[in-house]
Amino acid sequence: MTRYLRLIRIFTGATISAQLEYRANFIGAVLSSLGQVGVALLAIGVLFGQGSDTVGGWTFREALLVTGFFILTEGFIAVFIQPSMSRIADAIRTGSMDFTLLKPVDAQFSVSTRYLNVLRVPDILIGLGLIVYAASALTTTLGGVLIAAVLYASALTIVYCIWLALSTTAFWFVKTQNVAELFNGIFGAGRFPVTAFPLPVRFALTFIVPIALITTVPAQAMTGRLSPALAMASPLVAAGLFAVTRLFWLRAVGSYTSASS
Amino acid sequence: MSMLRKTRVLFATRFAEMAEYRAEVIIWMLSGTISLVMMLVWMAQAASAPGGQINGYDGSEFATYFLSVWLVGQLLVVWVGWELDFMIRQGTLSPKLLRPMDPMWVEYAAHVAERFVRIGPMLVLLAIFAFLSGASFTREWWAYPVTLGLCILGFTVRFLYEYALGLLAFWTESSTAFSEVAWLLYAALGGLFAPLTFYPQWVQNIAVWTPFPYMLGLPAQLLAGKATLAQAGHGALILFGWVVLFWFVRLAIWRLGLKKYGAVGA
């Protein structure tokens, strides 16, 4: 366990120092973080600007909470998930995956933690800021916040599992960057509370692609409107997905025959 | 004559290339879902509003507007910024400079050829979405060629400014971030989240000075039967002005960039 923690520290140090070499990138990254939050606020502002007090039964501040979780999750993906995952396909194509598999460290751990994109940390801060701002006008209890934190941890596990599963398909298809695009497209629905959608879509977003569990459910926990069934569902789905992706990953590695053969 | 032949060969080779990417083209198409997300939210919102409509739009009108936006958005897709960023950083631009033709035309042809790969599955999806959501497009025949014309102008504007932004890779590593910011402006001011008349007045006042509402919102409104021929003509003139402006901006950045590129010994 301590070995894995030490590895995370080394990986993080290496990737941060590599990134700080490109200082001009920072300006671009900050610009696009600010643009992203501006657009998210505009989308929700326009929706509430038409004279209606609620969208899908959510007030403006409550819906803002969902947008906060959405931006936070996008930041989490951009900082922790995408940089490592998008390199899996490259490693398979060029054959450098061989080295990862030969090392006496769990390969799933190495491919998942190797790279970071520190330039997108502002997204995480903006998301957190938005959550705090939205919650400050709502009545939240300590218990609600703690449950929200646990449920959000499950949500991040779900996001990680979906990404890993999609990236693992690279062992067979080689090119998978586009699959990430597809996930981003569907995940865009997470910027609004799931009740803002028509019923059949709401069903699909909860049970087929669990987007609702990622942004709406933690927000519901904070505002104390969460049904116990959904509260239970999120950790269960996360645990189930984790087990399934783990098996999928092991199978993929088992069938891997290096780039040259 | 030789010009015609060049154009034909250029287009035929880019088309063959893009046809190879047809699976990706479909995935790219499906990933442009934000207008569909907005459509669903607005439709649900209209359904729960008193009178079943918001700002004069009922559910089916929202469906028509956002599906039109989706269609127009598909025709305006441009990725040349990423392409240039890659070519400049990896140096694959160098051999292209030896050709007796500005590399811009190769990229332009690739984008146009991709539209022909895209259009088939796009119309199928559009028909399915329209059937499911109850959208109904205008019955005025003239709206369709006029929309196509606006889309061609809008695409050219977008291609030129994305190209100019991509060329910034000669100086900075963050040119793709600038492209992202440009996309955000395009999405916000073009009308991807709501028809422009829904926006606060001050945002509308800014938007009319940019090309974005005429690229995206106006052609979509034409398809939805909510814009007039005069508005289309006005929009086309403005877009043409932006084409001319960005043409020279692009050219200036290209010349300066090449000097810088040559100076570092590529």
Side-chain angles (χ1 to χ4, degrees):
Chain A
M1 191 62 200
T2 49
R3 184 166 65 147
Y4 282 91
L5 286 176
R6 219 185 69 211
L7 272 175
I8 288 184
R9 220 185 54 220
I10 294 170
F11 286 161
T12 311
T15 171
I16 288 177
S17 56
Q19 271 181 347
L20 292 185
E21 283 200 25
Y22 299 99
R23 248 157 271 162
N25 276 0
F26 184 68
I27 301 166
V30 168
L31 270 181
S32 66
S33 293
L34 289 177
Q36 217 108 39
V37 67
V39 162
L41 293 180
L42 184 68
I44 193 168
V46 169
L47 196 57
F48 276 93
Q50 313 304 321
S52 133
D53 292 335
T54 57
V55 168
W58 293 62
T59 65
F60 179 67
R61 281 301 182 97
E62 289 168 342
L64 210 54
L65 206 54
V66 176
T67 308
F69 276 110
F70 174 76
I71 293 174
L72 182 62
T73 313
E74 279 207 317
F76 177 80
I77 293 172
V79 174
F80 295 104
I81 297 186
Q82 190 165 23
S84 290
M85 294 294 163
S86 61
R87 281 181 172 87
I88 293 180
D90 268 344
I92 291 169
R93 197 166 46 79
T94 59
S96 69
M97 183 58 84
D98 298 13
F99 303 117
T100 310
L101 294 177
L102 284 172
K103 285 185 183 119
V105 182
D106 184 71
Q108 185 185 337
F109 171 81
S110 330
V111 298
S112 306
T113 54
R114 182 63 191 83
Y115 296 100
L116 288 178
N117 182 359
V118 282
L119 294 177
R120 299 309 291 267
V121 169
D123 288 24
I124 293 184
L125 300 179
I126 291 171
L128 284 174
L130 209 55
I131 292 173
V132 171
Y133 171 74
S136 67
L138 301 167
T139 46
T140 48
T141 59
L142 183 65
V145 174
L146 287 177
I147 295 173
V150 172
L151 292 179
Y152 190 62
S154 323
L156 293 181
T157 313
I158 293 172
V159 172
Y160 164 76
C161 290
I162 295 176
W163 267 85
L164 181 68
L166 292 176
S167 312
T168 304
T169 58
F171 280 93
W172 294 281
F173 301 134
V174 182
K175 258 204 306 202
T176 54
Q177 282 92 333
N178 297 311
V179 184
E181 286 291 308
L182 199 57
F183 174 80
N184 287 337
I186 297 172
F187 183 58
R191 67 178 71 233
F192 298 110
V194 71
T195 48
F197 291 95
L199 210 54
V201 180
R202 210 182 296 173
F203 179 83
L205 288 179
T206 312
F207 296 106
I208 300 173
V209 199
I211 303 288
L213 298 181
I214 299 171
T215 55
T216 306
V217 165
Q220 274 176 329
M222 270 182 104
T223 54
R225 310 196 295 179
L226 189 62
S227 66
L230 267 179
M232 293 303 291
S234 193
L236 283 179
V237 169
L241 265 181
F242 192 81
V244 171
T245 13
R246 177 74 188 163
L247 284 176
F248 185 54
W249 166 263
L250 290 176
R251 246 200 97 171
V253 170
S255 74
Y256 176 65
T257 49
S258 187
S260 53
S261 49
Chain B
M1 192 59 211
S2 127
M3 187 71 194
L4 204 69
R5 217 183 118 241
K6 264 189 197 167
T7 312
R8 215 195 53 207
V9 171
L10 199 58
F11 184 76
T13 49
R14 290 315 112 194
F15 181 78
E17 186 183 81
M18 281 302 155
E20 262 192 50
Y21 284 110
R22 58 196 176 275
E24 274 93 339
V25 168
I26 292 177
I27 289 180
W28 294 332
M29 227 162 63
L30 288 173
S31 66
T33 50
I34 185 122
S35 45
L36 303 180
V37 168
M38 296 312 302
M39 171 181 91
L40 293 169
V41 171
W42 282 111
M43 283 175 76
Q45 193 67 356
S48 66
Q53 57 171 23
I54 299 172
N55 273 2
Y57 283 72
D58 63 20
S60 122
E61 282 170 306
F62 275 124
T64 315
Y65 175 77
F66 284 106
L67 283 185
S68 303
V69 165
W70 180 76
L71 179 75
V72 174
Q74 294 292 321
L75 294 175
L76 297 190
V77 167
V78 167
W79 62 87
V80 73
W82 271 261
E83 209 80 53
L84 281 167
D85 184 78
F86 180 86
M87 287 197 298
I88 292 170
R89 207 167 313 298
Q90 304 288 323
T92 57
L93 180 65
S94 306
K96 297 198 165 104
L97 294 175
L98 297 173
R99 290 185 191 157
M101 186 198 297
D102 189 325
M104 183 185 86
W105 295 111
V106 180
E107 296 300 327
Y108 194 81
H111 281 70
V112 175
E114 194 259 7
R115 293 309 105 104
F116 285 87
V117 179
R118 189 178 278 249
I119 197 133
M122 193 175 76
L123 291 178
V124 173
L125 280 177
L126 184 73
I128 296 172
F129 293 154
F131 173 75
L132 289 176
S133 63
S136 66
F137 301 98
T138 179
R139 291 204 168 72
E140 302 283 353
W141 67 271
W142 58 263
Y144 294 90
V146 171
T147 304
L148 186 65
L150 277 177
C151 286
I152 293 171
L153 276 171
F155 163 73
T156 310
V157 169
R158 187 156 181 223
F159 181 85
L160 287 172
Y161 76 68
E162 292 263 353
Y163 201 98
L165 287 172
L167 288 177
L168 295 180
F170 281 124
W171 293 273
T172 159
E173 295 92 19
S174 45
S175 84
T176 53
F178 292 121
S179 297
E180 266 170 52
V181 175
W183 184 85
L184 293 169
L185 283 174
Y186 159 85
L189 301 179
L192 206 55
F193 301 117
L196 205 64
T197 48
F198 284 42
Y199 283 45
Q201 192 58 45
W202 66 270
V203 181
Q204 291 187 45
N205 290 344
I206 296 172
V208 293
W209 292 97
T210 68
F212 307 114
Y214 313 105
M215 294 161 67
L216 195 61
L218 178 62
Q221 292 288 28
L222 275 170
L223 286 182
K226 282 181 182 281
T228 63
L229 195 56
Q231 284 170 321
H234 174 76
L237 272 179
I238 295 174
L239 282 180
F240 186 72
W242 284 105
V243 168
V244 173
L245 180 73
F246 285 133
W247 174 265
F248 287 108
V249 170
R250 200 278 317 178
L251 204 61
I253 297 181
W254 173 243
R255 294 207 170 129
L256 285 173
L258 274 192
K259 258 185 221 156
K260 155 108 177 153
Y261 191 62
V264 294

PDB file of all heavy atoms in Angstrom, chain A residues 119-145:
ATOM      1  N   LEU A 119      -3.161  21.782 -15.352  1.00  0.00           N
ATOM      2  CA  LEU A 119      -3.670  23.054 -15.878  1.00  0.00           C
ATOM      3  C   LEU A 119      -5.172  23.174 -15.717  1.00  0.00           C
ATOM      4  O   LEU A 119      -5.717  24.269 -15.768  1.00  0.00           O
ATOM      5  CB  LEU A 119      -3.313  23.176 -17.369  1.00  0.00           C
ATOM      6  CG  LEU A 119      -1.823  23.277 -17.642  1.00  0.00           C
ATOM      7  CD1 LEU A 119      -1.572  23.309 -19.132  1.00  0.00           C
ATOM      8  CD2 LEU A 119      -1.260  24.522 -16.995  1.00  0.00           C
ATOM      9  N   ARG A 120      -5.867  22.062 -15.537  1.00  0.00           N
ATOM     10  CA  ARG A 120      -7.316  22.147 -15.410  1.00  0.00           C
ATOM     11  C   ARG A 120      -7.784  22.147 -13.961  1.00  0.00           C
ATOM     12  O   ARG A 120      -8.986  22.059 -13.709  1.00  0.00           O
ATOM     13  CB  ARG A 120      -7.988  20.995 -16.179  1.00  0.00           C
ATOM     14  CG  ARG A 120      -7.704  21.006 -17.667  1.00  0.00           C
ATOM     15  CD  ARG A 120      -7.980  22.356 -18.306  1.00  0.00           C
ATOM     16  NE  ARG A 120      -9.384  22.696 -18.353  1.00  0.00           N
ATOM     17  CZ  ARG A 120     -10.167  22.428 -19.384  1.00  0.00           C
ATOM     18  NH1 ARG A 120      -9.681  21.842 -20.435  1.00  0.00           N
ATOM     19  NH2 ARG A 120     -11.434  22.753 -19.349  1.00  0.00           N
ATOM     20  N   VAL A 121      -6.849  22.271 -13.013  1.00  0.00           N
ATOM     21  CA  VAL A 121      -7.246  22.361 -11.608  1.00  0.00           C
ATOM     22  C   VAL A 121      -8.228  23.518 -11.361  1.00  0.00           C
ATOM     23  O   VAL A 121      -9.144  23.381 -10.545  1.00  0.00           O
ATOM     24  CB  VAL A 121      -5.996  22.445 -10.701  1.00  0.00           C
ATOM     25  CG1 VAL A 121      -6.368  22.799  -9.282  1.00  0.00           C
ATOM     26  CG2 VAL A 121      -5.267  21.111 -10.712  1.00  0.00           C
ATOM     27  N   PRO A 122      -8.075  24.667 -12.059  1.00  0.00           N
ATOM     28  CA  PRO A 122      -9.081  25.728 -11.866  1.00  0.00           C
ATOM     29  C   PRO A 122     -10.523  25.261 -12.047  1.00  0.00           C
ATOM     30  O   PRO A 122     -11.408  25.734 -11.342  1.00  0.00           O
ATOM     31  CB  PRO A 122      -8.699  26.762 -12.927  1.00  0.00           C
ATOM     32  CG  PRO A 122      -7.250  26.571 -13.136  1.00  0.00           C
ATOM     33  CD  PRO A 122      -6.968  25.113 -12.915  1.00  0.00           C
ATOM     34  N   ASP A 123     -10.754  24.306 -12.945  1.00  0.00           N
ATOM     35  CA  ASP A 123     -12.117  23.779 -13.136  1.00  0.00           C
ATOM     36  C   ASP A 123     -12.658  23.195 -11.841  1.00  0.00           C
ATOM     37  O   ASP A 123     -13.823  23.386 -11.484  1.00  0.00           O
ATOM     38  CB  ASP A 123     -12.142  22.673 -14.206  1.00  0.00           C
ATOM     39  CG  ASP A 123     -11.950  23.215 -15.594  1.00  0.00           C
ATOM     40  OD1 ASP A 123     -11.351  24.308 -15.702  1.00  0.00           O
ATOM     41  OD2 ASP A 123     -12.379  22.566 -16.552  1.00  0.00           O
ATOM     42  N   ILE A 124     -11.776  22.455 -11.147  1.00  0.00           N
ATOM     43  CA  ILE A 124     -12.193  21.832  -9.884  1.00  0.00           C
ATOM     44  C   ILE A 124     -12.528  22.906  -8.869  1.00  0.00           C
ATOM     45  O   ILE A 124     -13.551  22.836  -8.175  1.00  0.00           O
ATOM     46  CB  ILE A 124     -11.077  20.900  -9.376  1.00  0.00           C
ATOM     47  CG1 ILE A 124     -10.926  19.723 -10.335  1.00  0.00           C
ATOM     48  CG2 ILE A 124     -11.361  20.429  -7.953  1.00  0.00           C
ATOM     49  CD1 ILE A 124      -9.937  18.686  -9.892  1.00  0.00           C
ATOM     50  N   LEU A 125     -11.673  23.945  -8.813  1.00  0.00           N
ATOM     51  CA  LEU A 125     -11.913  25.023  -7.844  1.00  0.00           C
ATOM     52  C   LEU A 125     -13.201  25.767  -8.172  1.00  0.00           C
ATOM     53  O   LEU A 125     -13.991  26.082  -7.274  1.00  0.00           O
ATOM     54  CB  LEU A 125     -10.718  25.987  -7.835  1.00  0.00           C
ATOM     55  CG  LEU A 125      -9.390  25.343  -7.458  1.00  0.00           C
ATOM     56  CD1 LEU A 125      -8.262  26.365  -7.509  1.00  0.00           C
ATOM     57  CD2 LEU A 125      -9.478  24.720  -6.071  1.00  0.00           C
ATOM     58  N   ILE A 126     -13.421  26.026  -9.454  1.00  0.00           N
ATOM     59  CA  ILE A 126     -14.643  26.725  -9.854  1.00  0.00           C
ATOM     60  C   ILE A 126     -15.868  25.888  -9.494  1.00  0.00           C
ATOM     61  O   ILE A 126     -16.853  26.395  -8.959  1.00  0.00           O
ATOM     62  CB  ILE A 126     -14.621  27.031 -11.371  1.00  0.00           C
ATOM     63  CG1 ILE A 126     -13.564  28.083 -11.676  1.00  0.00           C
ATOM     64  CG2 ILE A 126     -15.991  27.508 -11.839  1.00  0.00           C
ATOM     65  CD1 ILE A 126     -13.322  28.301 -13.152  1.00  0.00           C
ATOM     66  N   GLY A 127     -15.783  24.588  -9.750  1.00  0.00           N
ATOM     67  CA  GLY A 127     -16.908  23.702  -9.420  1.00  0.00           C
ATOM     68  C   GLY A 127     -17.208  23.724  -7.934  1.00  0.00           C
ATOM     69  O   GLY A 127     -18.368  23.887  -7.527  1.00  0.00           O
ATOM     70  N   LEU A 128     -16.138  23.609  -7.122  1.00  0.00           N
ATOM     71  CA  LEU A 128     -16.333  23.638  -5.672  1.00  0.00           C
ATOM     72  C   LEU A 128     -16.919  24.981  -5.236  1.00  0.00           C
ATOM     73  O   LEU A 128     -17.838  25.030  -4.412  1.00  0.00           O
ATOM     74  CB  LEU A 128     -14.993  23.411  -4.957  1.00  0.00           C
ATOM     75  CG  LEU A 128     -14.487  21.971  -4.937  1.00  0.00           C
ATOM     76  CD1 LEU A 128     -13.093  21.916  -4.332  1.00  0.00           C
ATOM     77  CD2 LEU A 128     -15.444  21.089  -4.152  1.00  0.00           C
ATOM     78  N   GLY A 129     -16.392  26.060  -5.811  1.00  0.00           N
ATOM     79  CA  GLY A 129     -16.882  27.397  -5.462  1.00  0.00           C
ATOM     80  C   GLY A 129     -18.362  27.537  -5.763  1.00  0.00           C
ATOM     81  O   GLY A 129     -19.139  28.073  -4.960  1.00  0.00           O
ATOM     82  N   LEU A 130     -18.756  27.020  -6.917  1.00  0.00           N
ATOM     83  CA  LEU A 130     -20.158  27.112  -7.318  1.00  0.00           C
ATOM     84  C   LEU A 130     -21.047  26.309  -6.371  1.00  0.00           C
ATOM     85  O   LEU A 130     -22.149  26.755  -6.002  1.00  0.00           O
ATOM     86  CB  LEU A 130     -20.295  26.577  -8.753  1.00  0.00           C
ATOM     87  CG  LEU A 130     -21.422  27.154  -9.597  1.00  0.00           C
ATOM     88  CD1 LEU A 130     -21.328  28.658  -9.640  1.00  0.00           C
ATOM     89  CD2 LEU A 130     -21.337  26.574 -10.998  1.00  0.00           C
ATOM     90  N   ILE A 131     -20.563  25.147  -5.944  1.00  0.00           N
ATOM     91  CA  ILE A 131     -21.341  24.318  -5.014  1.00  0.00           C
ATOM     92  C   ILE A 131     -21.521  25.058  -3.691  1.00  0.00           C
ATOM     93  O   ILE A 131     -22.633  25.132  -3.148  1.00  0.00           O
ATOM     94  CB  ILE A 131     -20.649  22.957  -4.793  1.00  0.00           C
ATOM     95  CG1 ILE A 131     -20.697  22.132  -6.075  1.00  0.00           C
ATOM     96  CG2 ILE A 131     -21.301  22.188  -3.647  1.00  0.00           C
ATOM     97  CD1 ILE A 131     -19.910  20.861  -6.026  1.00  0.00           C
ATOM     98  N   VAL A 132     -20.424  25.656  -3.191  1.00  0.00           N
ATOM     99  CA  VAL A 132     -20.509  26.373  -1.925  1.00  0.00           C
ATOM    100  C   VAL A 132     -21.457  27.561  -2.059  1.00  0.00           C
ATOM    101  O   VAL A 132     -22.324  27.794  -1.209  1.00  0.00           O
ATOM    102  CB  VAL A 132     -19.104  26.845  -1.477  1.00  0.00           C
ATOM    103  CG1 VAL A 132     -19.200  27.784  -0.284  1.00  0.00           C
ATOM    104  CG2 VAL A 132     -18.234  25.646  -1.148  1.00  0.00           C
ATOM    105  N   TYR A 133     -21.329  28.292  -3.165  1.00  0.00           N
ATOM    106  CA  TYR A 133     -22.182  29.462  -3.377  1.00  0.00           C
ATOM    107  C   TYR A 133     -23.656  29.053  -3.432  1.00  0.00           C
ATOM    108  O   TYR A 133     -24.520  29.677  -2.803  1.00  0.00           O
ATOM    109  CB  TYR A 133     -21.778  30.161  -4.673  1.00  0.00           C
ATOM    110  CG  TYR A 133     -22.730  31.240  -5.100  1.00  0.00           C
ATOM    111  CD1 TYR A 133     -22.771  32.457  -4.429  1.00  0.00           C
ATOM    112  CD2 TYR A 133     -23.608  31.041  -6.164  1.00  0.00           C
ATOM    113  CE1 TYR A 133     -23.649  33.459  -4.803  1.00  0.00           C
ATOM    114  CE2 TYR A 133     -24.498  32.026  -6.554  1.00  0.00           C
ATOM    115  CZ  TYR A 133     -24.511  33.228  -5.872  1.00  0.00           C
ATOM    116  OH  TYR A 133     -25.393  34.209  -6.238  1.00  0.00           O
ATOM    117  N   ALA A 134     -23.939  27.986  -4.199  1.00  0.00           N
ATOM    118  CA  ALA A 134     -25.337  27.555  -4.333  1.00  0.00           C
ATOM    119  C   ALA A 134     -25.876  27.054  -3.002  1.00  0.00           C
ATOM    120  O   ALA A 134     -27.013  27.345  -2.629  1.00  0.00           O
ATOM    121  CB  ALA A 134     -25.446  26.463  -5.395  1.00  0.00           C
ATOM    122  N   ALA A 135     -25.037  26.333  -2.247  1.00  0.00           N
ATOM    123  CA  ALA A 135     -25.499  25.739  -0.994  1.00  0.00           C
ATOM    124  C   ALA A 135     -25.699  26.801   0.081  1.00  0.00           C
ATOM    125  O   ALA A 135     -26.501  26.619   0.995  1.00  0.00           O
ATOM    126  CB  ALA A 135     -24.501  24.687  -0.520  1.00  0.00           C
ATOM    127  N   SER A 136     -24.978  27.937  -0.033  1.00  0.00           N
ATOM    128  CA  SER A 136     -25.050  28.944   1.017  1.00  0.00           C
ATOM    129  C   SER A 136     -26.458  29.520   1.156  1.00  0.00           C
ATOM    130  O   SER A 136     -26.833  30.004   2.214  1.00  0.00           O
ATOM    131  CB  SER A 136     -24.047  30.061   0.736  1.00  0.00           C
ATOM    132  OG  SER A 136     -24.442  30.762  -0.417  1.00  0.00           O
ATOM    133  N   ALA A 137     -27.245  29.463   0.087  1.00  0.00           N
ATOM    134  CA  ALA A 137     -28.599  30.004   0.168  1.00  0.00           C
ATOM    135  C   ALA A 137     -29.635  28.920   0.446  1.00  0.00           C
ATOM    136  O   ALA A 137     -30.814  29.197   0.539  1.00  0.00           O
ATOM    137  CB  ALA A 137     -28.947  30.714  -1.130  1.00  0.00           C
ATOM    138  N   LEU A 138     -29.186  27.678   0.557  1.00  0.00           N
ATOM    139  CA  LEU A 138     -30.116  26.575   0.795  1.00  0.00           C
ATOM    140  C   LEU A 138     -29.935  26.081   2.222  1.00  0.00           C
ATOM    141  O   LEU A 138     -28.893  26.302   2.833  1.00  0.00           O
ATOM    142  CB  LEU A 138     -29.824  25.420  -0.170  1.00  0.00           C
ATOM    143  CG  LEU A 138     -29.921  25.757  -1.654  1.00  0.00           C
ATOM    144  CD1 LEU A 138     -29.306  24.649  -2.477  1.00  0.00           C
ATOM    145  CD2 LEU A 138     -31.372  25.955  -2.052  1.00  0.00           C
ATOM    146  N   THR A 139     -30.954  25.417   2.742  1.00  0.00           N
ATOM    147  CA  THR A 139     -30.793  24.851   4.077  1.00  0.00           C
ATOM    148  C   THR A 139     -30.186  23.470   3.942  1.00  0.00           C
ATOM    149  O   THR A 139     -30.823  22.541   3.455  1.00  0.00           O
ATOM    150  CB  THR A 139     -32.145  24.739   4.799  1.00  0.00           C
ATOM    151  OG1 THR A 139     -33.085  24.178   3.880  1.00  0.00           O
ATOM    152  CG2 THR A 139     -32.625  26.094   5.275  1.00  0.00           C
ATOM    153  N   THR A 140     -28.927  23.360   4.341  1.00  0.00           N
ATOM    154  CA  THR A 140     -28.267  22.063   4.279  1.00  0.00           C
ATOM    155  C   THR A 140     -27.897  21.633   5.697  1.00  0.00           C
ATOM    156  O   THR A 140     -27.577  22.472   6.540  1.00  0.00           O
ATOM    157  CB  THR A 140     -26.978  22.131   3.444  1.00  0.00           C
ATOM    158  OG1 THR A 140     -26.233  23.263   3.887  1.00  0.00           O
ATOM    159  CG2 THR A 140     -27.273  22.260   1.979  1.00  0.00           C
ATOM    160  N   THR A 141     -27.933  20.328   5.918  1.00  0.00           N
ATOM    161  CA  THR A 141     -27.519  19.799   7.223  1.00  0.00           C
ATOM    162  C   THR A 141     -26.158  19.153   7.071  1.00  0.00           C
ATOM    163  O   THR A 141     -25.744  18.804   5.952  1.00  0.00           O
ATOM    164  CB  THR A 141     -28.509  18.729   7.707  1.00  0.00           C
ATOM    165  OG1 THR A 141     -28.530  17.683   6.720  1.00  0.00           O
ATOM    166  CG2 THR A 141     -29.900  19.309   7.874  1.00  0.00           C
ATOM    167  N   LEU A 142     -25.460  19.003   8.181  1.00  0.00           N
ATOM    168  CA  LEU A 142     -24.148  18.347   8.136  1.00  0.00           C
ATOM    169  C   LEU A 142     -24.291  16.925   7.597  1.00  0.00           C
ATOM    170  O   LEU A 142     -23.498  16.470   6.778  1.00  0.00           O
ATOM    171  CB  LEU A 142     -23.539  18.340   9.540  1.00  0.00           C
ATOM    172  CG  LEU A 142     -22.135  17.744   9.609  1.00  0.00           C
ATOM    173  CD1 LEU A 142     -21.149  18.596   8.821  1.00  0.00           C
ATOM    174  CD2 LEU A 142     -21.680  17.581  11.044  1.00  0.00           C
ATOM    175  N   GLY A 143     -25.338  16.229   8.077  1.00  0.00           N
ATOM    176  CA  GLY A 143     -25.577  14.871   7.606  1.00  0.00           C
ATOM    177  C   GLY A 143     -25.760  14.830   6.098  1.00  0.00           C
ATOM    178  O   GLY A 143     -25.194  13.981   5.415  1.00  0.00           O
ATOM    179  N   GLY A 144     -26.538  15.792   5.589  1.00  0.00           N
ATOM    180  CA  GLY A 144     -26.783  15.845   4.149  1.00  0.00           C
ATOM    181  C   GLY A 144     -25.491  16.024   3.378  1.00  0.00           C
ATOM    182  O   GLY A 144     -25.259  15.361   2.362  1.00  0.00           O
ATOM    183  N   VAL A 145     -24.621  16.902   3.877  1.00  0.00           N
ATOM    184  CA  VAL A 145     -23.351  17.151   3.190  1.00  0.00           C
ATOM    185  C   VAL A 145     -22.478  15.897   3.213  1.00  0.00           C
ATOM    186  O   VAL A 145     -21.857  15.547   2.200  1.00  0.00           O
ATOM    187  CB  VAL A 145     -22.625  18.345   3.842  1.00  0.00           C
ATOM    188  CG1 VAL A 145     -21.237  18.520   3.246  1.00  0.00           C
ATOM    189  CG2 VAL A 145     -23.439  19.620   3.657  1.00  0.00           C
TER     190      VAL A 145
END
